[in-house]
Amino acid sequence: MRPIHVSFQVIQVNDNYLKLKAGYLFPEIARRVKAFSDSSPGVELIRLGIGDVTEPLPKACRDAMKAAIDEMGTESGFHGYGPEQGYSWLRESIAKSDYQTRGCEISADEIFVSDGSKCDSSNILDILGPGNRIAVTDPVYPVYVDSNVMAGRTGEANTLGRYNGLSYLPISADNQFVAEIPSEPVDLIYLCFPNNPTGAVVTKEELARWIDFAKDNEALILFDAAYEAFIQDDSLPHSIYEVEGAKDCAIEFRSFSKNAGFTGTRCAFTVIPKNIHGKAQNGDSVCLWNLWNRRQSTKFNGVSYMVQRGAQAVYTSEGRKQVKALVDFYMNNAALIRTSLLEAGFEVHGGEHAPYVWVNVPEGMDSWGFFDFLLEKANVVGTPGSGFGASGEGYFRLSAFNSRTNVETAMNRIASIRWSK
Ligand code: MLT
């Protein structure tokens, strides 16, 4: 038989992907960790890098999921495609418990249930025009930046890894990790509070300044509140809609991943108030809710029935207690990390209303240098601050998502190293 030659050379790739820095941060960490493990077999690593939960799913959620599976095994209880926006009973529970009881006028149909905030905060670009000027904090959750690069909204990266076309708003201990209001006009602003990676929080007064800016500049705030459940101070806002005016200028992303342990189960939601409008090229005003609804109906088939039933159980009285216990558990880990590092002489931030502790690396090291050092000397995996942006250089993130034993062991190992200050 003659060999068949197939040529794929006419297929064009999305060149924007070639602008991306070598790897997404977490796969790069995984690569280094694998290289270390391969060369040091038998060493027990403790992973405080990626913010992935470790504790079992709440019983209320498991019970609801099991019941939903049994229902699916019956003729009358079987469910095929669900609504692309999510089942109304889940959207109602979210609207009531997460918003209305906190004084936010968000209705169930402004909530879109999804399989993750990472996906939603990237996919939202589908409905936003290419000419928007975009602001991100630096450091920042890398997904906001990379999804803009992939969508062709940026130029090339410079030597610092900053992409042409994005406005970077530096955050550091000097501004309590809350960015200054942009001095240049921007159209889209990504904000994340409690913040990933720094663990910082924002007050209602500070958020009000952002909302004023957005309204004055007809800008849109993309507000990631995936860590709101970790807030310990009642005066801090869990949602941007707790601040007046936000319904006119902000989309909010929320998730069941970190509070209820759904990272592997997948369920989240995005809130798009119906009165937010953008402008079409012909100058017409267009409702963003309509576009997102259209996008989801075409590109998404919803989250599975069982998982949505599990998410709904988060709002039952048993579910609430169990989720609170999970959050308390991780926050006690965060407190332990903070105290241990402070005792070892480190400067630490965050970890009080967020499951992330943001640490200044010892003098004479950079973020990746500290990553390699901790990996080798303490067999502890963290996340180098520079992976979140140029202004993250000199910092290191430790995640509180792990078992108590692992966190204690990691802290004992770090404490036993002689640190020069
Ligand atoms: C992180 O470690 O920053 C998280 O895993 C981010 C995420 O939830 O995707």
Side-chain angles (χ1 to χ4, degrees):
M1 218 165 79
R2 277 190 301 152
I4 302 170
H5 292 285
V6 183
S7 165
F8 292 108
Q9 278 163 13
V10 288
I11 296 170
Q12 295 190 342
V13 299
N14 179 351
D15 275 54
N16 295 314
Y17 277 65
L18 310 181
K19 295 178 200 160
L20 292 166
K21 284 178 284 157
Y24 181 55
L25 173 62
F26 295 108
E28 172 59 19
I29 290 174
R31 194 188 63 73
R32 290 193 188 213
V33 169
K34 180 169 185 316
F36 175 80
S37 299
D38 289 349
S39 64
S40 324
V43 169
E44 272 201 28
L45 291 177
I46 298 177
R47 292 164 202 272
L48 305 179
I50 190 165
D52 192 5
V53 294
T54 54
E55 301 308 296
L57 280 175
K59 183 171 182 313
C61 301
R62 293 194 323 263
D63 287 347
M65 289 184 206
K66 285 185 206 163
I69 291 191
D70 287 341
E71 229 187 307
M72 288 287 262
T74 65
E75 295 249 323
S76 58
F78 174 78
H79 289 78
Y81 291 127
E84 296 90 354
Q85 301 79 0
Y87 284 100
S88 58
W89 33 261
L90 176 56
R91 299 167 86 198
E92 295 285 352
S93 300
I94 294 169
K96 186 158 166 276
S97 309
D98 284 330
Y99 293 102
Q100 290 156 11
T101 55
R102 300 193 73 87
C104 314
E105 282 173 35
I106 295 294
S107 62
D109 61 355
E110 291 173 312
I111 288 158
F112 291 84
V113 175
S114 77
D115 59 347
S117 290
K118 177 165 153 179
C119 328
D120 283 358
S121 63
S122 314
N123 292 335
I124 198 73
L125 292 175
D126 270 12
I127 65 162
L128 299 166
N132 287 312
R133 294 158 297 184
I134 296 147
V136 291
T137 63
D138 177 12
V140 71
Y141 178 41
V143 169
Y144 313 148
V145 171
D146 286 4
S147 58
N148 273 287
V149 177
M150 291 170 176
R153 310 289 173 100
T154 72
E156 300 288 339
N158 65 17
T159 48
L160 285 175
R162 286 188 171 151
Y163 290 91
N164 225 332
L166 293 185
S167 288
Y168 288 89
L169 310 172
I171 53 174
S172 67
D174 294 343
N175 55 16
Q176 272 88 51
F177 303 97
V178 178
E180 309 298 336
I181 300 291
S183 51
E184 53 193 1
V186 291
D187 306 302
L188 299 182
I189 305 153
Y190 289 84
L191 292 180
C192 172
F193 289 108
N195 186 251
N196 180 14
T198 66
V201 283
V202 73
T203 62
K204 286 185 188 163
E205 292 70 31
E206 284 161 333
L207 264 189
R209 291 195 303 123
W210 283 97
I211 290 163
D212 287 346
F213 172 83
K215 290 179 84 165
D216 290 347
N217 291 277
E218 297 182 83
L220 176 68
I221 298 175
L222 299 171
F223 191 76
D224 186 344
Y227 298 94
E228 57 76 34
F230 296 87
I231 290 174
Q232 305 293 307
D233 174 346
D234 268 351
S235 70
L236 295 170
H238 287 246
S239 161
I240 193 164
Y241 305 118
E242 286 178 50
V243 184
E244 209 182 312
K247 264 195 87 174
D248 301 324
C249 61
I251 287 178
E252 180 163 290
F253 304 103
R254 293 273 278 258
S255 173
F256 295 99
S257 282
K258 311 292 161 101
N259 58 346
F262 274 46
T263 54
T265 311
R266 311 306 310 150
C267 198
F269 58 93
T270 287
V271 185
I272 308 201
K274 284 195 168 164
N275 48 331
I276 302 185
H277 286 69
K279 209 165 56 187
Q281 272 187 9
N282 65 5
D284 284 356
S285 171
V286 180
C287 167
L288 295 190
W289 185 97
N290 282 341
L291 295 190
W292 186 249
N293 192 46
R294 184 71 178 79
R295 190 243 174 234
Q296 293 299 80
S297 308
T298 300
K299 294 194 176 183
F300 188 56
N301 262 333
V303 175
S304 78
Y305 176 70
M306 288 77 74
V307 168
Q308 290 194 59
R309 281 292 184 203
Q312 186 193 25
V314 164
Y315 298 102
T316 60
S317 66
E318 281 310 298
R320 279 176 209 276
K321 277 187 232 148
Q322 292 160 12
V323 166
K324 182 173 182 316
L326 273 180
V327 167
D328 289 349
F329 176 84
Y330 292 126
M331 287 312 288
N332 285 334
N333 281 351
L336 182 60
I337 295 174
R338 273 182 63 89
T339 322
S340 313
L341 293 180
L342 282 168
E343 274 169 14
F346 286 90
E347 191 176 332
V348 301
H349 316 272
E352 289 173 309
H353 306 283
Y356 296 125
V357 178
W358 189 241
V359 192
N360 292 57
V361 305
E363 254 179 59
M365 279 189 209
D366 65 9
S367 296
W368 276 110
F370 188 57
F371 172 90
D372 291 331
F373 183 85
L374 268 197
L375 181 61
E376 228 170 84
K377 302 282 188 242
N379 307 137
V380 170
V381 181
T383 309
S386 58
F388 297 101
S391 301
E393 183 52 270
Y395 292 99
F396 196 75
R397 193 191 77 175
L398 287 171
S399 150
F401 292 117
N402 215 313
S403 66
R404 183 65 37 78
T405 312
N406 277 350
V407 170
E408 279 167 0
T409 310
M411 290 306 116
N412 289 339
R413 288 184 193 170
I414 292 175
S416 68
I417 297 171
R418 181 180 288 275
W419 299 100
S420 56
K421 289 170 208 153

